[in-house]
Amino acid sequence: MMAMASLITLVAGCGAVTTSSPGSATSNSSKSSKPVIGMTLMTLTNPYFSEMASSAKADAAKLGMKLEYEGANFSQATQLSQVDAFIQQHVSAVMIAPADAGSAGTLVLALNKAHIPVFTIDTNVEPSSYKSQGGHIVEFVQSNNYKAGVIAGQEMVKYLHGHGHIGWLDFPLATSVLQRDAGFESVIKKYPGIKVVSRLNGKGTTPGGLSATADMLEAHPHIKAIFDINAPCGLGAVDAIRAAHKVGQVAVIGLSGSEQAVSAIQNNSVYKYGVMQEPELESKIEIHSIYNYLHGKKVKPLILTSVFRITKQDAAHYAPLAYK
């Protein structure tokens, strides 16, 4: 809680902002006495994002704003339609966690054209998709994904004692995942005894993680561990390992901040180590930033929140922070 308070104070304590940028707060055409904030997330089926949305809505209300949120079901076309609806509604600002980071520049440019400030959360829009056309994002808030990948890599090395075949559940459409990938790879590449024998798209979902892990285990029966890029993927991997009767033979290590994942780490039969993020903190910071921006204050272009290593020994300690 102290970290949350200090970060919010940091955001709130900035000075005046210029009003000439494409996303200038003073240029918005909304005439509502209560600012309306639009939020479109890549999905709401992942509890990470559903908690982020509900927390943002509550925090916005406390500040006298109204938040309307949507899930895009991992569809760029759906997200574009949602952004268009927010533009027609003349909202005061829009928060985006893009379904496809590489193509989401169209969302940013459309909002810029409508003079609606853009804020991104968890996953950023690929800069090359909008900056060359003069696009502008006010602020991006995310957990320290590179560090999360580094921690997962360290735990993987420790678990395998530097040797063994591993599988990798990926989701390359999200820049946040690419950062986790980079952090993980920066560690394991130093250990030639650890070999990635399969790297498949787990689609960021439990069914995707289950299917990809089942394929890995069938094609590479000597895999000793699976790296997952989020809790739903990891839980799918756990299900696949149980179905293949490989409990005690294959471990899951990776991003694991949901209640179910933290509980699985505490049980420790398959999910051995994890890394926790705080979606509630990310959304709280961004909502306060939007409030400050709309009131003429500067906000930071990038804010990183902390991540935490989770082991069997401290899982109970971190359980209250887990998202549902």
Side-chain angles (χ1 to χ4, degrees):
M1 292 301 293
M2 289 179 64
M4 182 182 296
S6 62
L7 279 168
I8 292 170
T9 300
L10 177 66
V11 173
C14 299
V17 68
T18 59
T19 59
S20 58
S21 66
S24 170
T26 59
S27 62
N28 179 41
S29 59
S30 175
K31 297 179 181 179
S32 172
S33 58
K34 177 182 286 190
V36 177
I37 312 304
M39 182 186 214
T40 171
L41 303 175
M42 64 177 74
T43 180
L44 289 174
T45 59
N46 183 337
Y48 181 91
F49 289 107
S50 59
E51 176 144 329
M52 180 180 285
S54 59
S55 173
K57 188 176 182 71
D59 287 324
K62 291 174 185 176
L63 293 171
M65 302 186 296
K66 180 181 179 182
L67 181 87
E68 297 184 0
Y69 62 82
E70 302 282 353
N73 296 317
F74 299 107
S75 167
Q76 166 72 7
T78 298
Q79 200 156 49
L80 184 59
S81 176
Q82 291 166 350
V83 164
D84 183 60
F86 288 142
I87 291 172
Q88 298 305 315
Q89 192 179 344
H90 302 293
V91 298
S92 297
V94 171
M95 299 168 66
I96 301 172
D100 183 347
S103 303
T106 53
L107 310 178
V108 176
L109 294 171
L111 288 162
N112 286 171
K113 185 177 180 181
H115 304 293
I116 297 174
V118 183
F119 293 74
T120 49
I121 189 164
D122 178 75
T123 300
N124 207 4
V125 178
E126 173 57 47
S128 63
S129 70
Y130 67 91
K131 280 196 171 182
S132 63
Q133 299 177 65
H136 174 69
I137 291 174
V138 178
E139 180 183 85
F140 173 41
V141 177
Q142 69 167 159
S143 54
N144 193 333
N145 287 296
Y146 184 86
K147 184 177 180 181
V150 168
I151 293 172
Q154 292 168 343
E155 296 301 335
M156 183 69 76
V157 169
K158 186 189 302 182
Y159 176 77
L160 294 174
H161 302 287
H163 296 275
H165 290 182
I166 67 171
W168 188 325
L169 291 173
D170 211 346
F171 183 53
L173 291 180
T175 56
S176 55
V177 172
L178 296 178
Q179 291 164 0
R180 293 167 206 166
D181 288 346
F184 182 75
E185 192 165 24
S186 74
V187 176
I188 64 167
K189 71 180 182 181
K190 299 174 185 176
Y191 296 86
I194 296 178
K195 300 187 183 302
V196 179
V197 295
S198 183
R199 184 170 177 173
L200 299 178
N201 187 352
K203 301 179 181 178
T205 67
T206 297
L210 189 157
S211 176
T213 302
D215 289 345
M216 289 180 187
L217 296 178
E218 183 175 358
H220 305 278
H222 299 299
I223 281 177
K224 296 298 183 186
I226 303 289
F227 167 56
D228 72 79
I229 51 80
N230 69 6
C233 261
L235 292 168
V238 170
D239 290 343
I241 290 164
R242 292 189 186 283
H245 306 291
K246 285 184 172 286
V247 174
Q249 301 174 51
V250 183
V252 176
I253 296 169
L255 280 288
S256 51
S258 72
E259 284 185 347
Q260 193 175 353
V262 172
S263 177
I265 290 172
Q266 196 167 7
N267 174 274
N268 215 235
S269 61
V270 180
Y271 228 139
K272 295 297 181 180
Y273 302 97
V275 186
M276 174 178 279
Q277 305 161 283
E278 294 185 87
E280 182 180 349
L281 176 57
E282 289 181 50
S283 63
K284 183 178 289 291
I285 291 170
E286 188 111 289
I287 286 294
H288 277 77
S289 289
I290 291 172
Y291 178 84
N292 287 334
Y293 185 79
L294 295 178
H295 286 79
K297 295 180 180 178
K298 284 184 179 178
V299 299
K300 288 182 172 288
L302 172 65
I303 295 177
L304 297 178
T305 62
S306 298
V307 293
F308 308 95
R309 187 187 314 260
I310 307 176
T311 66
K312 179 179 181 178
Q313 289 70 32
D314 57 22
H317 172 74
Y318 286 115
L321 294 176
Y323 49 89
K324 294 178 173 59

